[in-house]
Amino acid sequence: MSKVDNRLQLDVDSIQSGQEYSALKDSYVIFLCLGDAFGHRLPVYTFRYRAEEDKNILMNDGTVNIFFNAAMYDKMQSENMFLKIA
C-alpha cells in the first residue's frame, strides 16, 4: 500500500458516505525514531502540508505528521507538548 493509499484509508475509515470532506477529523501520524530522521538536531519535527509557492498557504486537510527524535529526548519540552502541536 502506498503513502497515498494509507492516507486515503485513514480518511475512508473516518467519514461516512455522503458526508462533506470538511467533516473529516484531524489525523496525526506519530513516528518514534531512535535517531534524527532529518539530521537537523531537533527533538521534534512537525509537518503540515503547505503550498510550495507561498508557505503561508496551508492545505488545512487536518493531516499532521510528527517525528520524535529519541536521541534528543533530554531536549524535548515535555509539558503540554501535544497541546502545542494541536
Side-chain angles (χ1 to χ4, degrees), residues 16-78:
Q16 299 298 318
S17 177
Q19 280 186 297
E20 295 292 324
Y21 178 73
S22 60
L24 285 172
K25 297 178 182 176
D26 290 350
S27 64
Y28 293 84
V29 180
I30 299 174
F31 299 88
L32 304 174
C33 304
L34 296 177
D36 191 340
F38 301 98
H40 290 269
R41 300 187 41 81
L42 294 173
V44 180
Y45 298 88
T46 304
F47 294 93
R48 292 180 172 87
Y49 296 109
R50 296 183 182 276
E52 287 293 318
E53 296 75 15
D54 182 343
K55 303 292 188 228
N56 293 315
I57 301 172
L58 285 172
M59 182 174 273
N60 284 329
D61 68 343
T63 302
V64 181
N65 293 301
I66 306 166
F67 293 77
F68 289 97
N69 175 3
M72 295 195 67
Y73 175 78
D74 60 331
K75 303 287 191 247
M76 290 183 193
Q77 298 175 3
S78 60

Side-chain angles (χ1 to χ4, degrees), residues 2-15:
S2 74
K3 291 179 187 178
V4 172
D5 291 337
N6 288 336
R7 172 62 188 158
L8 291 174
Q9 188 61 45
L10 285 172
D11 290 347
V12 167
D13 291 343
S14 62
I15 195 168

